Amino acid sequence: MSRPLAITRHDRIRMMLAEAGTVTVSGLAATLDVSRETIRRDLKLFADRGEVTIVHGGASQRGSDNRTQMPRIAENPSGRSAIARAAAALVENGSVVLLDSGATALAVASALAGKSRLTVITNGIANAALLSQVPGIRVVMLGGEVDAASDGAVGIDTMAMLRNYRVDIAFIAVGGMAADGQPTDFSRVWAEQRKLMIAAAKRAYFLVDSCSIERETPVRIEGADAATGIIVDQRPTKALAKALTDRGLEMLVGA
C-alpha cells in the first residue's frame, strides 16, 4: 500500500507541526500526496480549533516560537519528499532500518509508513511518534540527550545503544556535503554518532538535499567512504559527482 491506514492525515500534519513548528501548504501536499486545497481545508479546521495560526503559504503552531524553526520546514519541502521516496524504494519489507533525526529523515519516516514488517531504530522523536502508530512496524527509540535543533537524541548513551543492533540499511543526515564529496557536520558529537551509524549498517545512505550541497560545516564525518551512497533531490555539479564516484559513493537522485 502507498499510504498508511492507521495514521490519519491530520495526525501526520500535527506531528510535522510538532517537529518543525511551522508547515507549508505546498510541502504538506507533496509529502501527503493530496491536493493543496485539501491541505488548506485541514489547516483552516485546525485554525478554527485554535491549534494553529494561518500564515501566508502555510500555518504555524499556536503558542510556539518559530523564529528559528521556520527555515527548516521552508527549505525545499518538495526536495525532501523526493529524497524520501527514493529512500523508501530501497527498503524491503521485513528489513531493519536505522533512521537519523531531522526534517528530511521525518519525510523518510512518512514514506516508510507504507512498508510492512519493518524494525525501525531511530534517534528521532518525531520519527518514533509517527511510525509507532503504524501496524506492522516495530520502533526502537535510541535514548540520550535530546538536541532541540534536530529533535533527536545524541551523545554517549545514544551511541552505546547503537552498538547493540544489526541494521540492514541506514539513512543518515548531514550538516553539509563539501565540494570534494566529504560529508560534514556541525559538531564532533554528531559526526561521531553518524560515523557509528555508518558502521552499524550493511548499507548506509546520506540524505543530502540541495540546500546542503557544497555547504561546508566544520566537522568531517569520518568513515563516510564506508557508506554505500548519497540520496539527493537534484543532480550536483559534475565536479561533485566525480568526487563522489572517486570516493566509491553511489548517487541516487530522487524524483
Side-chain angles (χ1 to χ4, degrees):
M1 63 180 178
S2 60
R3 301 182 190 176
L5 299 179
I7 302 177
T8 69
R9 185 175 66 252
H10 289 180
D11 288 338
R12 296 175 73 185
I13 293 172
R14 288 188 181 98
M15 289 172 185
M16 293 176 191
L17 274 163
E19 195 274 340
T22 186
V23 292
T24 64
V25 171
S26 60
L28 288 174
T31 299
L32 302 177
D33 193 23
V34 295
S35 70
R36 295 188 182 194
E37 187 56 39
T38 296
I39 295 299
R40 290 190 185 97
R41 287 197 298 267
D42 290 341
L43 295 180
K44 183 179 185 301
L45 176 63
F46 287 176
D48 291 343
R49 292 174 177 173
E51 297 181 45
V52 304
T53 298
I54 299 296
V55 297
H56 180 68
S60 62
Q61 194 170 30
R62 185 161 292 180
S64 64
D65 181 354
N66 298 313
R67 289 172 295 177
T68 60
Q69 298 283 6
M70 191 173 296
R72 295 170 57 200
I73 195 67
E75 285 182 349
N76 200 18
S78 60
R80 287 174 174 161
S81 296
I83 289 171
R85 289 190 292 270
L90 297 172
V91 178
E92 298 179 0
N93 291 333
S95 297
V96 178
V97 180
L98 176 59
L99 182 59
D100 206 346
S101 60
T104 306
L106 180 59
V108 175
S110 296
L112 290 178
K115 300 288 182 174
S116 64
R117 296 181 291 108
L118 296 184
T119 296
V120 177
I121 302 164
T122 185
N123 62 319
I125 296 171
N127 300 339
L130 174 67
L131 292 173
S132 63
Q133 301 301 310
V134 181
I137 295 184
R138 176 174 175 255
V139 176
V140 176
M141 181 74 204
L142 297 173
E145 182 178 352
V146 174
D147 175 62
S150 68
D151 197 36
V154 64
I156 294 172
D157 294 329
T158 314
M159 288 185 261
M161 284 191 70
L162 264 173
R163 294 183 174 94
N164 294 325
Y165 296 99
R166 180 202 64 79
V167 176
D168 292 312
I169 188 167
F171 298 110
I172 302 168
V174 298
M177 179 67 69
D180 64 356
Q182 172 68 52
T184 61
D185 223 320
F186 292 99
S187 72
R188 285 281 306 279
V189 67
W190 273 112
E192 184 65 21
Q193 184 162 299
R194 285 164 176 153
K195 173 184 175 181
L196 291 179
M197 287 181 167
I198 297 166
K202 293 179 181 177
R203 294 181 294 154
Y205 290 87
F206 293 109
L207 307 174
V208 187
D209 81 334
S210 55
C211 299
S212 301
I213 291 289
E214 296 193 22
R215 177 173 68 188
E216 297 188 19
T217 48
V219 186
R220 295 165 57 91
I221 299 176
E222 298 296 339
D225 291 359
T228 307
I230 74 168
I231 307 175
V232 296
D233 57 313
Q234 57 184 257
R235 292 192 178 277
T237 63
K238 290 182 179 179
L240 178 54
K242 182 179 185 304
L244 293 169
T245 300
D246 290 346
R247 288 180 176 273
L249 296 175
E250 175 187 0
M251 183 177 65
L252 301 177
V253 182

